[in-house]
Amino acid sequence: FETRTLDRFSVGLYSMGVNRDKAQHAYDMVAQYIENYAMIVAQYGGGGLYFYSRERGSGKTFLSTILGNELSKRGHRVRWFGMVNLLQEIKAGYDRESSTSSSEIINTCRNAEVLILDDIGVEKQSAWVNETMYSILDYRLSQCKPTIFTSNHKPHELAYDERIIDRITRMTELVEMPEESVRKKLGAKNPMGAFLEQKEELTNDIF
């Protein structure tokens, strides 16, 4: 994520009209959040952002990691987790042979200065998932710690119980992303692909 900075997000990649307007608004909110992070933590109880759109590849993760990377460069401690992998790691931590216990992973999430949870809502729901998420989010809300979410669903559409949805709603400002996939346009070119293309060009020059 180190290469993901504000100048890498191009609003012009989105279609003219509503989608571009949404992209511009999302970009402006992230830029303002980064610039005014200290004030947000002090005056607004550590409020976070909730990026959502039904379209995969709309830039939700890209923009949220830009936010995390920019804050990290400014000296803030940011932790990023994909929801499915996070829950898998917590479950694996119950194994006595695991090098990291479940409680250690949960405490990392609870105590991170800034926590980014990517793709919330894609995980299979269960009572255990609800209790785990409640433990993390209730603590972060009470301690005014900013949490950033990305999702394909609005908060009230998530399959969590009402306690969790209530906390997500209270601790974030909604950021609606365009219903347009620009993943290939937004993503950096694969370094290996660029190298191979270069080698191909060199070979063609030789022959």
Side-chain angles (χ1 to χ4, degrees), residues 99-116:
S99 59
T100 306
S101 69
S102 296
S103 60
E104 288 175 316
I105 300 171
I106 291 173
N107 284 334
T108 294
C109 292
R110 286 168 52 134
N111 293 307
E113 180 184 349
V114 180
L115 177 66
I116 300 176

Side-chain angles (χ1 to χ4, degrees), residues 49-52 120-121 149 151-162 164-170 172-175:
L49 299 176
Y50 186 101
F51 298 90
Y52 73 95
I120 189 170
F149 302 89
S151 182
N152 294 328
H153 308 281
K154 296 178 182 179
H156 71 272
E157 297 172 340
L158 296 168
Y160 296 118
D161 67 36
E162 287 300 320
I164 297 172
I165 294 174
D166 173 69
R167 278 152 182 77
I168 292 174
T169 302
R170 288 164 58 189
T172 59
E173 186 72 24
L174 298 185
V175 182

Side-chain angles (χ1 to χ4, degrees), residues 56-99:
R56 297 182 182 278
S58 64
K60 299 184 289 290
T61 298
F62 194 88
L63 201 49
S64 69
T65 51
I66 285 175
L67 186 154
N69 189 43
E70 292 283 5
L71 289 179
S72 181
K73 290 197 309 183
R74 289 162 173 76
H76 303 289
R77 300 286 292 177
V78 181
R79 297 303 298 263
W80 182 98
F81 290 98
M83 277 303 302
V84 173
N85 289 337
L86 171 62
L87 294 172
Q88 288 175 344
E89 286 185 29
I90 294 173
K91 278 189 175 181
Y94 290 119
D95 188 335
R96 291 183 177 181
E97 296 182 1
S98 174
S99 59

Side-chain angles (χ1 to χ4, degrees), residues 115-149:
L115 177 66
I116 300 176
L117 296 177
D118 189 52
D119 250 355
I120 189 170
V122 300
E123 66 279 6
K124 184 177 180 181
Q125 293 299 312
S126 67
W128 175 80
V129 169
N130 272 278
E131 290 306 314
T132 301
M133 288 301 296
Y134 179 79
S135 171
I136 293 170
L137 298 184
D138 184 61
Y139 182 85
R140 294 189 63 79
L141 177 63
S142 68
Q143 298 299 311
C144 300
K145 291 181 176 291
T147 308
I148 312 298
F149 302 89

